[in-house]
Amino acid sequence: QLSNDATPNNSRFSESDIHALLAERLQAKFARDFHTADNIQRELVDGGVSVHEGLKEWRADGVVIRGSRGGGDRKADNQQYSKSPHSVDDDGANDSSIDKLVQERTKFKIMRQYDKADEVRERLRTKFNVLVDDRLKQWSVSGDFGEERNAQRELAEKVNSRGFIKSSSSLSLNEEEEEYIRQNVEARVVAKKERDFDTADKIRLDLAQRFDVTIRDN
């Protein structure tokens, strides 16, 4: 059903087209034809439609529902970013230019054009020495977001750089199976770094179905 707070449809689909595609995707999932279901999902997203699995809601007004891959937070991903109070004070001379670039990056993320979003992020870093914190919805000249958040970001970077390790409570498998899992986990990391989220999701699903493997990204 349509989200209660959605504004008028500005996607490339009519409302009847959206319902038809959602019904087709649901049938594909029931048939365990995940390839077709993923293709329909990609078609909807590329056309400007955001679908929330948990809430059974969709919207086509350019707003991406946070948690659309299974979470429960309904806040929009295009929430306005602001300058961090911990940002280096440069008299605000470049604030307008930085805000425009941050908004441009957000637009690319909503459109799932992640390569372009990354290019804008790199331009912010090299031209203005600006880092963006997507969790806080803030940007900062020099990358300072306060002592607590800085520590969290540093820890996250260390965790991400160390790779994945097998949980001590995991059940034992034979050597061949463990090697298969390890290689696929590493392949998934590469796919995510390259923004190939479809491949990353397929690897996760394959490991879950074949070995009941759960991957904790955070």
Side-chain angles (χ1 to χ4, degrees):
Q1 65 178 15
L2 180 65
S3 294
N4 293 330
D5 58 348
T7 53
N9 182 357
N10 63 9
S11 74
R12 63 182 176 87
F13 299 110
S14 67
E15 187 167 335
S16 60
D17 288 337
I18 294 172
H19 283 296
L21 285 167
L22 289 173
E24 184 180 349
R25 179 172 180 266
L26 184 61
Q27 289 176 353
K29 290 179 69 177
F30 282 149
R32 301 186 67 80
D33 183 359
F34 299 111
H35 178 71
T36 296
D38 287 345
N39 285 340
I40 295 172
Q41 171 81 352
R42 189 180 307 111
E43 183 180 357
L44 285 165
V45 171
D46 290 345
V49 180
S50 175
V51 181
H52 193 297
E53 299 277 0
L55 297 174
K56 305 298 182 185
E57 293 184 358
W58 61 269
R59 61 191 303 156
D61 54 359
V63 173
V64 177
I65 306 173
R66 179 169 296 174
S68 56
R69 285 184 173 269
D73 190 345
R74 299 184 58 192
K75 294 182 180 178
D77 272 336
N78 68 337
Q79 176 185 338
Q80 190 72 28
Y81 283 66
S82 61
K83 183 177 182 179
S84 170
H86 303 282
S87 175
V88 171
D89 187 7
D90 59 353
D91 298 325
N94 296 314
D95 284 10
S96 178
S97 298
I98 293 171
D99 277 328
K100 288 180 180 179
L101 284 173
V102 172
Q103 290 172 16
E104 182 180 354
R105 176 177 177 265
T106 301
K107 183 193 302 182
F108 284 136
K109 288 182 65 182
I110 290 174
M111 297 170 65
R112 295 173 68 87
Q113 296 182 13
Y114 299 113
D115 288 341
K116 292 184 177 180
D118 287 345
E119 289 174 5
V120 175
R121 182 181 61 185
E122 184 63 15
R123 202 183 319 161
L124 284 163
R125 187 187 67 81
T126 57
K127 186 173 182 179
F128 299 106
N129 192 27
V130 164
L131 295 184
V132 180
D133 191 304
D134 291 313
R135 180 175 295 181
L136 294 179
K137 300 292 184 184
Q138 293 179 354
W139 56 265
S140 171
V141 178
S142 80
D144 187 357
F145 296 96
E147 183 177 348
E148 180 178 356
R149 183 57 183 152
N150 290 344
Q152 291 173 347
R153 286 168 61 91
E154 182 179 354
L155 178 60
E157 289 178 3
K158 289 180 178 178
V159 171
N160 289 335
S161 64
R162 78 175 184 180
F164 286 84
I165 58 175
K166 180 181 176 182
S167 170
S168 59
S169 59
S170 176
L171 297 177
S172 297
L173 297 171
N174 64 46
E175 185 175 338
E176 183 177 341
E177 289 172 329
E178 291 212 3
E179 178 63 17
Y180 177 87
I181 293 171
R182 185 188 63 78
Q183 290 180 356
N184 276 271
V185 168
E186 291 178 355
R188 179 174 176 270
V189 171
V190 172
K192 290 184 68 178
K193 287 182 178 179
E194 294 177 350
R195 299 285 185 176
D196 185 0
F197 297 112
D198 288 334
T199 296
D201 288 345
K202 288 175 183 176
I203 292 173
R204 178 195 284 269
L205 181 62
D206 173 65
L207 292 175
Q209 291 179 336
R210 293 184 61 179
F211 302 104
D212 198 24
V213 166
T214 300
I215 300 175
R216 301 287 185 186
D217 288 307
N218 296 311

